[in-house]
Amino acid sequence: MSRIAYPYLRPASSTVDAQPWRLLLGEEEVELPESLDGWDYNLDLRLRREVQVDGEAIREQCRLPAGAPLALSVVWYSTGSGLRGRSAFERLDGRGYATHHLDLTIAGAEVGGVLSIDTLLVVPEALAEVDALAPHRAGSMLWEHRSEIRLQGGASQFPIAVVDFGPSTLPDTAAWHLEVSGSMDSAAMGSLLLLVNERNKAVAEAFSRAGKPRQADSLVLSAVYADVARTMVEHALSREDFVDDANYGEETLGALMLDVFRQMFGARTIKDVRLRMQDSPSLMATEMQAAVGIFGGDS
């Protein structure tokens, strides 16, 4: 197993004791699971953890001055959206052993797929006149811990934005619109955006209650998801690089399109379905409607 050789001293792992991340789900607080079923992009992720740091021992072991600054930072990366960000940063001014509370919220609209959360202990600013082996550059990493969670569920698996279609180029009486951009190798969550027209109260309210929909909301959401699936398949079939023997990377637009295609058409080949769409587009539209089980029908 490969190990990273750092060009400076690092403290013993015993100088930092990090408790597991806790995930807040409404009034409930649970240890961060490996996967979160039933998640959708309307749900922001609220997390917290405690980290005990022995600042005095760290400075001594790394040959840093007694008052050298340290900081805890939390950064995340999402395979689904290709986005990354920093959600917490706390300077550690105390010199002794202290407990630090990290609380963060990650916007659900910015993530998808596997979410990696890195907790880091760093030197936050450049230091002058220190020992040659001491970590003196800004950002020097003294300790790190990675947690991961896979975000998955039956709700929409790409970003959703509720906007006013009036000022846009979209028809102001339309209820929703799926934007698809990028190549088949692009990050899936960065290539798809479902726009919901806030002027359509039935649809906008259905999405606001997507986590706990009423019967009427479920019917609206079923219609939207069916149309989204149809749009994605039609977009994929219109591209020459969407073929049976293609090898798309994990979490890419091509992989997502292929997954939707397989759910709708099973073992049928892309070539066969593309020809069927060219020969009989109306029948193909009906077959796709049946495949997605619109309004709760069997798929």
Side-chain angles (χ1 to χ4, degrees):
M1 188 170 107
S2 62
R3 300 184 63 180
I4 299 175
Y6 289 87
Y8 50 80
L9 292 171
R10 301 228 307 169
S13 59
S14 59
T15 59
V16 181
D17 182 18
Q19 300 301 309
W21 281 109
R22 307 287 293 179
L23 176 66
L24 281 70
L25 297 171
E27 300 299 321
E28 184 181 7
E29 184 176 318
V30 300
E31 188 170 326
L32 188 70
E34 293 183 359
S35 63
L36 185 58
D37 297 328
W39 174 84
D40 67 56
Y41 280 86
N42 294 306
L43 178 64
D44 294 339
L45 297 172
R46 298 170 56 212
L47 304 107
R48 63 174 52 143
R49 86 183 309 179
E50 291 184 356
V51 182
Q52 290 83 37
V53 180
D54 190 341
E56 184 176 351
I58 290 171
R59 293 180 179 92
E60 181 180 343
Q61 294 177 21
C62 294
R63 301 183 189 177
L64 291 168
L70 301 173
L72 281 170
S73 179
V74 179
V75 297
W76 56 266
Y77 171 71
S78 166
T79 61
S81 65
L83 299 177
R84 65 180 71 244
R86 186 175 77 179
S87 294
F89 183 83
E90 181 177 342
R91 292 181 66 95
L92 313 184
D93 296 324
R95 299 188 180 183
Y97 191 87
T99 299
H100 303 274
H101 301 274
L102 300 176
D103 289 272
L104 56 108
T105 299
I106 302 176
E110 296 182 351
V111 296
V114 177
L115 176 65
S116 299
I117 307 170
D118 293 328
T119 307
L120 313 171
L121 177 65
V122 300
V123 175
E125 57 194 57
L127 304 175
E129 300 180 3
V130 296
D131 188 285
L133 292 178
H136 64 279
R137 296 182 183 276
S140 295
M141 191 160 54
L142 307 181
W143 172 90
E144 69 280 340
H145 178 266
R146 169 166 291 186
S147 300
E148 292 185 339
I149 179 173
R150 175 171 287 278
L151 304 172
Q152 57 189 19
S156 175
Q157 290 297 289
F158 41 83
I160 299 169
V162 180
V163 298
D164 183 0
F165 280 20
S168 73
T169 57
L170 299 172
D172 58 12
T173 56
W176 63 84
H177 170 73
L178 180 67
E179 287 191 353
V180 187
S181 61
S183 68
M184 287 295 183
D185 294 323
S186 302
M189 299 306 111
S191 302
L192 297 166
L193 176 62
L194 179 61
L195 299 174
V196 176
N197 189 359
E198 66 179 21
R199 297 189 180 198
N200 190 305
K201 300 302 181 185
V203 176
E205 290 178 5
F207 273 94
S208 71
R209 287 188 287 264
K212 194 174 182 180
R214 303 168 304 179
Q215 182 178 9
D217 301 324
S218 296
L219 294 175
V220 170
L221 294 173
S222 176
V224 176
Y225 296 152
D227 185 65
V228 165
R230 178 190 57 79
T231 301
M232 291 175 63
V233 169
E234 289 180 349
H235 175 85
L237 292 174
S238 70
R239 297 184 59 96
E240 294 182 356
D241 54 346
F242 187 68
V243 293
D244 290 295
D245 58 354
N247 184 19
Y248 305 114
E250 186 177 358
E251 308 289 356
T252 62
L253 179 62
L256 178 59
M257 294 286 191
L258 185 59
D259 182 59
V260 173
F261 180 90
R262 294 300 179 212
Q263 290 183 44
M264 295 180 71
F265 299 107
R268 293 175 64 180
T269 66
I270 292 175
K271 181 178 180 181
D272 171 62
V273 174
R274 181 179 280 122
L275 290 173
R276 183 63 170 269
M277 178 167 285
Q278 293 172 352
D279 293 340
S280 184
S282 60
L283 180 57
M284 180 55 62
T286 303
E287 289 183 3
M288 286 192 283
Q289 178 196 112
V292 298
I294 191 170
F295 301 141
D298 295 330
S299 57

